[in-house]
Amino acid sequence: MIHSLFLINHTGDIFLEKHWKSVIGRSVCDYFFEAREKAVEPENVPPVLQTPHHYLISIYRGKLFFLSVIQTEVPPLFVIEFLHRVADTIQDYFGECSEGVIKDNVVTVYELLEEMLDNGFPLATESNVLKEMIRPPTILRSVVNTLTGASNVGDTLPTGQLSNVPWRRVGVKYTNNEAYFDVIEEIDAILDKSGTTVFAEIQGVIEACVRLTGMPDLTLSFMNPRLLDDVSFHPCVRFKRWESERVLSFIPPDGNFTLMNYHVSSQNLVAIPVYVKQSISFFETGPCGRLDITIGPKQTMGKTVEGLMVTIHMPKAVLSANLTATQGTYTYDLATKVLVWDIGKLNPQKLPNLKGSLTTQAGTPKPEDNPSLNIDLKIQQLAISGLKVSRLDMYGEKYKPFKGVKYLTKAGKFQVRT
Amino acid sequence: MSASSAFNDEKGGSSSVGEPEYGHDPASGGIFSSDYKRHDDLKEMLDSNKDSLKLEAMKRIVAMIARGKNASDLFPAVVKNVACKNIEVKKLVYVYLVRYAEEQQDLALLSISTFQRGLKDPNQLIRASALRVLSSIRVTIIVPIMMLAIKEAASDMSPYVRKTAAHAIPKLYSLDPEQKDQLIEVIEKLLADKTTLVAGSVVMAFEEVCPERIDLIHKNYRKLCNLLIDVEEWGQVVIINMLTRYARTQFLNPNMNESLLEEGSGGDRTFYGSDEDEDEDEEEKEKKAETPAMAKRKPYVMDPDHRLLLRNTKPLLQSRNAAVVMAVAQLYFHLAPKAEVGVIAKALVRLLRSHSEVQYVVLQNVATMTIKRRGMFEPYLKSFYIRSTDPTQIKVLKLEVLTNLANETNISTILREFQTYIKSMDKDFVAATIQAIGRCATNIGEVRDTCLNGLVQLLSNRDELVVAESVVVIKKLLQMQPEKHSDIIKHMAKLTDNIQVPMARASILWLIGEYCEHVPKIAPDVLRKMAKSFTNEEDIVKLQIINLAAKLYLTNSKQTKLLTQYVLNLAKYDQNYDIRDRARFIRQLIVPTEKSGALSKYAKKLFLALKPAPVLESPFKDRDHFQLGSLSHLLNAKAGGYQELPDWPEAAPDPSVRNVEVPEWTKCSSREKRKEKKVEKPFYSDSEGESGPTESADSESDSASGSESGSGSEESASRSESEESEDGSESEEEEEEEEEEKEKKKKKKELKKPVQESESEQSSEEEERKHQRKTKQRKSDSESESDEDEESESESSQSESEESESEAEVKKKKKAAESKPPSKPVKKESKKEKKEMSLLDLDDFEPAPSPQVTPVNTFLSNSLVTDLEGLSLSDTVLSPATIAPSSALKNYELLHRITGEGLSVEYCFSRQPFSPDANMVAVQMQFTNNATADTKNLHIEDVKLQSGMRVKEFSEIELLPAGETATAVMGIDFCDSTQAANFQLCTHTRKFFVSIQPPVGELMRPVFLTENEFKKEQGQLMGMNEITEKLTLDMKCRNEHTIVQRVTTAANLSRVPCGSDKECRFAGRTVSSSSLVLVTVATKEEGAAQLTVNCEKMVIGTMLVKDILLALTQ
């Protein structure tokens, strides 16, 4: 299956390599570098490459390439999903997945990789099992370790691998028992020039933070589970119970995890929280153009829209922007040609407006395509689909946990075409 | 060197412990240089006695390895530490060893003995890790040692060690392929393993070592299907892919009738064809029309094993792991009946929200699927709309999918989308869009003109790439109907002045040449211009210039003779030999000389022949011959180690190969008989729970499925059991189809009969169907014991068939009409079967449940404990006796046959979780009608309960014929008290007052605890909650086994593993309030013993003590 893994930074340096079978020389990466050159943008590198003797499957995360070398037939998604799991694990351990962090913890990362695959086949990918074997560094522990000379490797043997609930350790203890759930919904939408919705849907995710003693068995039920059209679960959720009763019944992993992802059925109309009035035009005569954008609230369900931000990928010919914003600040990055207008809170009384002129490169024909606007926004305390958690019950333990549910609506891939 | 700072910290620590001699900052970046003196310093550290120093050194060495620096010269120093006590050092040494052993084989041998010792360690995890490292050392000389170790580990007690053994198999195989035969033996053994932990790994080993030995799977097929949901996600992927291949060799194509239809209805239909073949109604109609053809073919009945696979994989579509979802999707695509494939669309569309790499792979597969099964993705059309922020490769793939999905109804929306795409800044994407428009135009005739006009407008686009691509596409479109579009050709001729892209120029020239009679004035002029610039053109353009010249010469030699000569002369001295060759060839062909042969006469025919229009095809067209989701499919080329997906067999191989030998006690009728039964009554073919005798080995999925339909709507319950509604409707369709057919055949016979009779027949048939529904309903209400249920069900239906003469008659006729087995033997057989069944029934009633039959219900249990019970690990980790309540369930009498006037009722506590409500105790009732008359409408009325108690009645039993038995399961919530539940049992004539009083031991369900958990829990239940009693054990009850047996008989508890052999521990929870019940029996000399019960509910505790005392002392 997976033969070797190379971690490559955006400048093309290989800064970590791990081989699960015989060693494969770094030169195999040359094919990748070639493709990388050709693709211009790192996102455009094909995830699967064929070389005379190997296949290269790579992912791009956090400005790093995770490049795996394959020799025989294997489902590509299998490898891709695994590589993402590696990145997730690193993030989980060290708070972020970046070159600096990996270099700082190179031994721990190497040990993790050693445990995650055996002969190229995934062995332990559950973060809870891994944490039992290789403890994540904490400030306190590293201080203690330096004083006592103790190590990061767990001296107890990992029993999690033997358990039927591999995602949870035994013997979890907390003084404050708490279970928090964040229902986060994202609106994916494409609006056309006139503001009509070309396509809109709601994707949701329930992120959980559960710190409960012992082996609690939780049941989470919804007021309106019928809204949910398509779901995917953390392995801990009992699927049959969902099928029959539409409740989430599960023994939670310890700590933070994603309980479920869902898609709201497409029959429901999606409320679009803001409208955008825009006009971007370039003049035939003279190297300039005009830009005028106004944003106003549309269907906000009586809540305030926060964290409003507009991102525009300008045509290559646009040299500079001379704009005035009635609210917030704007920046124009000359190198990437990205205009970002950070608005903040949306005030319905005084609508934010961005207006001014654009300078294009002299001599080039006017850009004939208008860039599309990407909108970012947040609405606290609201799940735009109307999904509501009705109750959370706990079985199997005696104490009374603190429970909390938070709702949040965000813009996902929210795009306005011009 | 950010790493060095981390080391600095640690270094600071160790020096403060007191190692001044290494104070000279060894952690500075310099260590990573290839300065060997620095390595000396590492060697020194490795030789010291201090673990902290060794650790420090090992960390630096591993960091070197991670960076790809060579550290092989440290091998001797490192390998010495292989037996180091410090676990972290040891681990790092292992890491080093695995990396360098191959290069230093002789030295590596030094470490072998350590691992050999490790293989004998009492701790399973140490055994496993020793095997893991041993097998990872790629040293050929130790192959025999590895082989021995793997063999031993394969029969290890611990499933974890067995898993490691499975992992070691492909390692050894790659090291020495000659071991294959021996390894296959090990694989065969491990395939039989029943634990989820091993299943994934061993199938992976199977795929790497002997994927061709599909015969090894037969016996394990059902088990793998049933375990699947609990296997870890990576294992699931491997197993699903393997089972897809397996199913392709063993089952029949579920769509074979449809494919026959497709053939029958003429090959003029293309997938892009205007008539949509996905339309269900149409298909229905067709079916009716085609029935004569159908009748020739046997109706397709899906093998229950095939159905089992589809059913058990379906929930995995909800997995969070994209690879699992994809694996299930490809399984459905390759194996499921057409009507069921649709379920995967939603899941695949969901994956489009994931990382872009995942999107890339999924879209590739969706593109292939949309060609075969367009209808499936049509509802999700908008999910494939493109955003300006998508990476180019994703955009192009989405475009591909959109193009495949285009049909008359949605083409206008799609074209409108395309219009916005054309304005994109990403030119590669624009080019792809133009091609997509071209494909839509060729496939959908109605929009051809619109598309063409749109493309012509693009010709005035400022971007040359866009224009060039448009030209190429227009050329292809024009070829379809050139006569209408001479003005477009003229327009394009003008473009030659501006356009520089070679491909576009070549296309224009070809167009002009081909249709020169449509543009007689312009064509020579174009040639004149081209002749002028000939030498500066690209090769493909040059070739087309020659072509144009030749064609013009043939049609209009007056004007172009000289030009042609000139062009050919230029070409004669071209650098490219292709062009030289072409020029020579054409000259010979078109310019008549005396030498030129007969060919020149045909020159016109050769050059100006009518050329067929090109078919614009999807690049994904025939990709589905690769297994979807595979690397080979993605690359559209066979990758190394790819296993071909076999074609469906013409006739199904013997399904009995999947039968597993059934232990004596089940006395299950052999599968062949079941099969026969099924053939007789295709009606049942889809009703579930007949996944065969293996079912008993895994009650889990069954209980779950049982529960599902039990709590589902009545309708769905009346259908096949655990199928989801879609499947349900599907199966009904099938049923209907069959019914239809039967009806037809019957009608033939009926022609001779008086009308009256046929009417009565029909009605009786209807009634019968109702019965069958009812029995099914009852069955689904009754619990997880699929085997029992099935038996009772089939039995009752059997009895129905015997019930009334007329009905039996009807059936017989029907059977005869079906012209399957001759009617007489069938009759006999069914009688015999019936006898066997009833015998079986009695047996089943006092089953000695196998270890695996312990109540398990993953999705319904309210607590972990029941989950853990299902843990297939437990039965192997602990001794088999631990969980098995090896004694029979005790039957109690509810209604004596005398008082019941012939109706006798017995009940027992089945100890299965009651699926509709986990707080209820399941009570299984067996009704026997000893009277001579039938009993009807058996049901419960007038339930009198103590406060808090609840009862879930069994559904009414419509009919209990004389001499028959029936079973039903009801649930009672006793509120953890031994109060009786009183109610009336009613028949159509009488009511009987009865009551059920549970022994205290039945008010609990077993719980799986580890020894530590048990001790901890026990510590919390001291004082008032603890009851201790001394006792003297019964003479026969002095060994552990009997104690366990007696306690588990007295109370529904599970055994807790225990280190000491003097103690037996049991744990359970009360059913209603989930209070923990802990029981300890400590034995002493001469049969003296002490019984301790810890329970929060003191009443329960006291009563339980009494019951267990009684059980142990008698």
Side-chain angles (χ1 to χ4, degrees), chain A residues 17 26 60 73 85 104 114 118 125 151 157 162 186 188 217 229-231 238-239 369 372 417, chain B residues 2 66-67 88 123 132 171 233 350 353 357 388 417 423 425 631-632 640 858-859 862-863 873:
Chain A
E17 60 179 72
R26 286 183 169 202
Y60 182 67
E73 168 66 47
R85 206 59 74 79
D104 284 350
E114 178 78 26
D118 182 15
T125 50
S151 68
L157 290 155
L162 308 175
E186 293 192 355
D188 284 359
D217 193 329
D229 176 37
D230 180 43
V231 287
R238 300 179 178 105
F239 182 69
D369 45 332
S372 54
R417 289 176 178 167
Chain B
S2 33
R67 279 143 205 271
E88 187 163 15
N123 187 317
R132 200 181 144 196
K171 298 184 204 170
E233 29 192 10
R350 185 205 323 132
R353 285 272 302 171
E357 296 88 4
S388 58
E417 264 305 289
K423 290 186 209 147
M425 282 181 260
L631 185 62
S632 306
T858 327
F859 294 98
N862 258 339
S863 78
L873 277 181

Side-chain angles (χ1 to χ4, degrees), chain B residues 1017-1035:
Chain B
E1017 295 291 354
Q1018 200 177 26
Q1020 287 171 355
L1021 291 170
M1022 300 299 277
M1024 295 279 282
N1025 294 329
E1026 184 174 88
I1027 305 154
T1028 310
E1029 205 67 82
K1030 289 221 164 59
L1031 69 152
T1032 315
L1033 291 171
D1034 181 27
M1035 282 309 281

